[in-house]
Amino acid sequence: MTTQSIITPTLNAPPHEFDAIIIGAGFSGLYQLHKLRDELGLNVRVLEKGAGIGGTWFWNRYPGARCDSESYYYCYSFNKEIEQAWSWSERYPEHTEIRKYLNFVSDRLDLKRDIQLDTEVKSAAFNEASTMWKVETVGGETFLTRFLITAVGCLSAANVPKFEGLENFKGDWYHTGNWPPEGVDFAGKRVGQIGTGSTGIQLAPVLAGRSQHLTIFQRTANYSIPARNRSVTPEEVDLTRKNYDDVWRRARSGTNGHPFTMSSLSAIAVTDAERRAIYQKAWERGGLRFRASFKDILADNKANETASDFIREKIAEIVKNPELLEKLTPRDHGFATKRPPIDSGYFETFNRDNVSLIDLKAEPIVQVTEKGIRTTKQEYELDIIVFATGFDAFTGPLLRLNLTGSHGYALKEAWAAGPRTYLGLQTPKFPNLFTITGPGSPSVLCNMPIAIEQHVDWITTCIRDMRAQGLTRIEAEPEAAEQWVEQVNAAANATLLPMASSSWYLGANVPGKPRVFMPYAGGFARYTDICNDITKSNYRGFARS
Ligand code: NA7
């Protein structure tokens, strides 16, 4: 069994004072706590909204939830003992196993004594005179801290569309990103699932097997590659343990923080037969690596079309009903220009008798009624509605912290036209505030633990250097942030990524959100070099005092 935090809130006490407060106890918050506390000797507290650690994986417990990165590299690389002591059971880790892993790491490093659970941050404000942040919680506690570090993840603010009448629905409804820990019983129920992104594509085959009837409401048809999940053998575990140095070296030297390399071939420079053979092999191997089959899948429309065509053909081989096939065939965007899902029997699900597909482009949702969902064509009676409708990604988790920087300047104001950061790490006028995997960093375009470790290491070095030099304040310079935003835009525009009009990378999934491409698409290795250069230049672009 794992141990939980022993910290209990102390109301009506004088504010607690810390060197650093970290918001969030997922992969990033846990590692940041370890680095600041155990390496720099700082007095640190982690504030976590959930009743347990795990971050994204604490909340995303929907049936079928597992990571799309492979388990042997969806983990920390910073500690040899942990790396050698832990074994994953499946090719892709399920949410339960990821929580077990994070608890294992926390117990090994004795992290929980500095983590305060069930503590939601209500607001935080910077005080110019004291150079301290004041953090207030929903529960009424106050904390003072020199450094404030947000470790809230990119996908932690659930996006529940504002459908008229949801409050009148007599059945139960859930969002996948806020799943009840006790689970949901679908037996004998008529279930409606809205959304066919990575989450919906993982969820649908499981719901179809557990419910009486599943109705899937699809707005945009999606591509998906078979995951080909399976158990990991003890021999594979041994081999990976022996090769870990090489795994991490490859992961850090590539574009996406995965330990596989991008092919050096162009999809349009090979013969049709060669191309087909390469795609077929990648299809059989399964997983996100399909993207790396050719170097130009995300850079050239023609190359991209070859991948999109191949997957469309595969969907046609699987889906038996021609009408359903037509609805399920993605045509409005190229493969991987939106985050590409991987699946375990998604398209096969539509061959089942108890599954129907509603094309929301042909019949949009008008309202939720007492009995179910009404589209422009008819009412669908349901007992349970599951929203697999994604997240207010990148900025949502940060804006809801109600952060106020220098002289009362609110983050909402600073980011009114979209996020403006320097390296994704800092925002001008928000001194001593660091964001782990913030907008403007590679984040979700990467294998997340690798992206997180790079950010945490950079922040730790930065704070260590400040303390060594007797400095107490660091703030991104506005010109540096402007130039960085231009670099983020240029990196995105060198790819096909901004072309998918419904992509959450652009904020397009949330009505009213500014359309800005948010992650840095210039590659993980290149980004790391830029950050390291800035450290070496004595923090170019940051004002420190
Ligand atoms: P995504 O990828 O944002 O998918 C959300 C899905 O929900 C997608 O199919 C959306 O359609 C659909 N959606 C969103 N809002 C609506 C409304 N109002 N009506 C109908 N359908 C809607 O989120 P996921 O949770 O699947 O995945 C997020 C990431 O988590 C994933 O990429 C991995 O990195 C892990 P749309 O495509 O916008 O037309």
Side-chain angles (χ1 to χ4, degrees):
M1 261 322 277
T2 55
T3 53
Q4 288 301 322
S5 153
I6 48 159
I7 299 172
T8 44
T10 44
L11 301 179
N12 305 321
H16 317 271
E17 199 168 320
F18 290 92
D19 298 320
I21 294 268
I22 299 164
I23 308 175
F27 267 95
S28 40
L30 296 175
Y31 181 42
Q32 187 70 82
L33 167 61
H34 168 62
K35 291 289 278 188
L36 294 183
R37 186 192 72 182
D38 302 334
E39 281 187 17
L40 300 194
L42 302 194
N43 181 18
V44 186
R45 180 160 297 181
V46 177
L47 305 179
E48 166 55 56
K49 181 179 167 190
I53 65 166
T56 296
W57 299 106
F58 178 81
W59 303 100
N60 279 271
R61 299 164 184 246
Y62 59 86
R66 63 177 70 243
C67 184
D68 288 346
S69 287
E70 297 192 34
S71 52
Y72 75 92
Y73 62 86
Y74 190 75
C75 47
Y76 292 118
S77 71
F78 70 87
N79 184 304
K80 275 269 158 256
E81 274 173 32
I82 289 171
E83 170 196 284
Q84 296 294 317
W86 178 261
S87 350
W88 295 101
S89 67
E90 291 181 285
R91 181 174 175 189
Y92 304 94
E94 208 192 2
H95 62 99
T96 43
E97 196 168 23
I98 299 173
R99 283 197 298 280
K100 257 192 219 155
Y101 169 73
L102 290 175
N103 274 287
F104 169 80
V105 172
S106 299
D107 290 341
R108 280 255 167 156
L109 300 176
D110 192 18
L111 297 179
K112 288 175 183 166
R113 66 186 155 92
D114 291 306
I115 300 173
Q116 183 171 324
L117 300 173
D118 294 308
T119 304
E120 184 176 356
V121 170
K122 185 172 80 176
S123 63
F126 181 71
N127 184 302
E128 203 62 57
S130 62
T131 324
M132 299 284 277
W133 280 87
K134 183 175 173 188
V135 180
E136 293 188 309
T137 72
V138 169
E141 275 185 289
T142 302
F143 298 87
L144 297 176
T145 181
R146 167 72 18 102
F147 296 105
L148 180 62
I149 301 166
T150 64
V152 291
C154 303
L155 297 168
S156 53
N159 169 41
V160 180
K162 294 186 173 52
F163 291 125
E164 185 195 319
L166 182 57
E167 66 285 2
N168 301 327
F169 181 54
K170 293 271 191 256
D172 297 317
W173 67 267
Y174 307 92
H175 186 282
T176 50
N178 202 358
W179 203 256
E182 66 281 9
V184 177
D185 184 7
F186 291 98
K189 306 281 190 202
R190 296 162 305 172
V191 181
Q193 171 189 320
I194 307 176
T196 53
S198 299
T199 298
I201 279 176
Q202 286 187 340
L203 178 71
V206 188
L207 285 190
R210 290 191 191 169
S211 61
Q212 183 204 102
H213 191 92
L214 175 65
T215 307
I216 298 178
F217 295 84
Q218 169 193 276
R219 191 163 68 178
T220 306
N222 217 337
Y223 300 90
S224 183
I225 306 296
R228 310 220 186 271
N229 188 33
R230 56 172 178 79
S231 302
V232 174
T233 64
E235 293 73 34
E236 285 174 313
V237 171
D238 277 354
L239 192 64
T240 307
R241 282 188 182 148
K242 283 193 194 112
N243 289 332
Y244 254 127
D245 288 347
D246 189 44
V247 168
W248 300 131
R249 187 190 51 73
R250 280 182 286 132
R252 290 201 188 90
S253 60
T255 313
N256 297 111
H258 293 263
F260 49 77
T261 41
M262 179 72 71
S263 164
S264 56
L265 294 174
S266 157
I268 39 184
V270 294
T271 66
D272 288 356
E274 282 166 340
R275 186 188 313 115
R276 184 155 248 312
I278 288 170
Y279 281 142
Q280 182 61 30
K281 199 170 159 207
W283 182 266
E284 280 159 23
R285 189 174 45 219
L288 291 174
R289 194 169 167 182
F290 189 93
R291 264 189 312 197
S293 298
F294 293 102
K295 67 176 181 186
D296 44 5
I297 288 180
L298 268 179
D300 179 283
N301 269 316
K302 271 199 192 138
N304 185 277
E305 197 56 18
T306 66
S308 305
D309 278 343
F310 180 87
I311 301 167
R312 284 192 283 257
E313 279 172 35
K314 288 293 182 192
I315 300 172
E317 283 171 20
I318 301 169
V319 179
K320 299 208 165 72
N321 178 320
E323 228 177 279
L324 285 179
L325 172 61
E326 184 48 35
K327 289 183 195 169
L328 286 166
T329 305
R331 297 190 205 280
D332 75 326
H333 66 286
F335 165 67
T337 54
K338 289 171 78 165
R339 162 65 152 77
I342 62 172
D343 70 277
S344 299
Y346 175 66
F347 293 110
E348 289 82 349
T349 300
F350 295 91
N351 295 332
R352 295 177 64 118
D353 292 337
N354 71 333
V355 174
S356 12
L357 177 67
I358 309 305
D359 175 7
L360 295 179
K361 292 254 161 76
E363 46 173 316
I365 293 174
V366 176
Q367 62 176 169
V368 179
T369 64
E370 284 188 9
K371 290 185 185 161
I373 291 178
R374 188 193 302 284
T375 67
T376 48
K377 278 200 184 143
Q378 70 176 86
E379 183 177 30
Y380 297 90
E381 293 194 7
L382 303 165
D383 304 306
I384 298 176
I385 300 174
V386 178
F387 289 93
T389 44
F391 301 89
D392 181 355
F394 306 104
T395 51
L398 294 162
L399 290 173
R400 69 180 178 181
L401 295 174
N402 296 309
L403 301 172
T404 312
S406 288
H407 309 294
Y409 191 54
L411 193 65
K412 282 191 178 75
E413 218 178 310
W415 287 3
R420 307 189 87 68
T421 72
Y422 185 34
L423 305 166
L425 282 161
Q426 272 215 334
T427 298
K429 300 208 170 87
F430 291 80
N432 295 2
L433 171 73
F434 292 103
T435 298
I436 302 173
T437 65
S441 77
S443 66
V444 296
L445 299 180
C446 262
N447 172 39
M448 281 304 275
I450 286 286
I452 285 167
E453 286 187 334
Q454 186 268 340
H455 258 194
V456 168
D457 290 346
W458 192 94
I459 293 167
T460 307
T461 304
C462 174
I463 293 177
R464 187 201 61 203
D465 289 351
M466 284 177 69
R467 288 167 66 88
Q469 294 164 10
L471 305 173
T472 55
R473 190 182 196 280
I474 176 165
E475 180 183 347
E477 288 167 354
E479 309 75 45
E482 285 311 308
Q483 281 166 16
W484 184 247
V485 169
E486 277 169 30
Q487 284 201 53
V488 172
N489 290 338
N493 290 333
T495 72
L496 304 178
L497 288 166
M499 293 177 72
S501 59
S502 61
S503 169
W504 58 263
Y505 295 157
L506 283 164
N509 60 327
V510 177
K513 191 163 170 168
R515 265 190 185 229
V516 176
F517 191 86
M518 289 176 276
Y520 174 70
F524 176 74
R526 189 162 146 206
Y527 175 82
T528 306
D529 286 347
I530 294 171
C531 290
N532 291 345
D533 259 12
I534 288 168
T535 309
K536 276 193 213 126
S537 73
N538 209 18
Y539 299 94
R540 185 177 65 242
F542 290 97
R544 302 182 313 147
S545 52

